[in-house]
Amino acid sequence: MRRGLGAVQIDVNQGGAMSEHIVDGAEARAVSGTIAVLTCALRSGAVPAEVPTLLTDAESRRGAALLAESRLAAESATRLDRDRDRLLHGGPARGPIAPIAAPPAAATELARLREALVAAGIAEPGPAADLVDALDLLAALDERPSRQAARWRQQLVTDHLLTWGARGLSRMQLGAQTFFYQGVAAMGLGLLRQLSGDVHARAVAG
C-alpha cells in the first residue's frame, strides 16, 4: 500500500493462482495511520502529536474515543507506566497479564521473515521479538507492494498478528486499568479485524 491518492493494486498468490486485491487509497492511509498510532503507543506509552488518519470501524472508533478519554481524564504518566508494567512485563510473583512478546517458535519464524525482508530491501535490520516489531514489518510491506510482498504479508498476518498478536491485545483489553491501554487494545483489535477481512477477501478472490 502507498500513501498516495487513488487505489493500490496488490497481486496475491492463493493456491498457486494469482489474483488481484485492490486497496483503496483512503483505506491504505487508515491502515498505515492506525499502525503508526499503535506502534508509538506500545513502544513509548504515548500517541503521535498529530494523529493520522485512522480506521473507522466500530472497534477502531471505540479505541480512538478511549485514547481521547485518557487525555481528558489527564491520566498521569505514573498511572500509565504502572498499567503498562502490569500488562506487558508483570512482576516477580506474576507474569505479564497481556504479553505481546512472540512465543519462542513464532519469534524464530518472525526473525527469519525479517531477514528475508531485509535481504529484499523492504525492511531495515532490527529486532523481531514482539507485536511492535511485527507491526513495523507490516508497515514496511505495505510501503512496497508486490507479489512477493503480498505473500510475506499474508504469512505475517496469518501466522503472527492473528494468532499470538490477537491473544495479547485481547488480554490487554480485558486487563487494562487505564483508558489509554483499553484504547490501544480496542484499536489494535480493530486493525486485526480489518486484516482478517483482507485475508478472507483474498482467499475468495483466489
Side-chain angles (χ1 to χ4, degrees):
M1 303 176 193
R2 291 189 179 91
R3 290 194 176 94
L5 297 175
V8 175
Q9 176 175 303
I10 301 176
D11 292 317
V12 183
N13 183 296
Q14 286 290 334
M18 295 308 300
S19 61
E20 294 180 347
H21 180 65
I22 304 299
V23 180
D24 181 78
E27 178 186 328
R29 288 192 298 274
V31 169
S32 176
T34 301
I35 292 171
V37 170
L38 289 171
T39 54
C40 185
L42 290 170
R43 185 175 281 127
S44 66
V47 295
E50 294 187 11
V51 178
T53 302
L54 301 172
L55 290 169
T56 57
D57 62 282
E59 206 153 20
S60 297
R61 290 199 308 270
R62 179 174 177 271
L66 285 164
L67 291 176
E69 187 65 25
S70 174
R71 291 193 298 273
L72 291 173
E75 290 183 319
S76 69
T78 299
R79 179 172 170 76
L80 293 179
D81 287 346
R82 187 183 306 121
D83 204 22
R84 177 188 178 85
D85 286 343
R86 286 178 55 258
L87 293 167
L88 305 185
H89 306 300
R94 182 175 184 177
I97 293 173
I100 60 169
T108 299
E109 292 302 316
L110 190 63
R112 288 175 182 161
L113 178 58
R114 180 160 212 134
E115 289 173 2
L117 299 190
V118 170
I122 293 175
E124 297 294 327
D130 61 20
L131 180 58
V132 177
D133 299 330
L135 290 171
D136 281 341
L137 294 181
L138 179 64
L141 284 165
D142 285 350
E143 287 291 334
R144 302 284 293 274
S146 69
R147 291 187 176 190
Q148 183 58 57
R151 296 185 186 102
W152 281 325
R153 188 183 196 272
Q154 186 91 346
Q155 178 186 348
L156 177 63
V157 170
T158 57
D159 293 352
H160 300 283
L161 294 175
L162 294 182
T163 54
W164 56 267
R167 284 196 299 272
L169 289 171
S170 295
R171 291 171 182 173
M172 182 181 294
Q173 187 175 50
L174 293 172
Q177 295 180 348
T178 56
F179 292 126
F180 184 86
Y181 284 105
Q182 290 172 22
V184 170
M187 187 174 290
L189 290 170
L191 172 65
L192 297 191
R193 191 179 301 278
Q194 171 77 25
L195 296 176
S196 178
D198 289 349
V199 168
H200 176 72
R202 294 172 186 187
V204 171

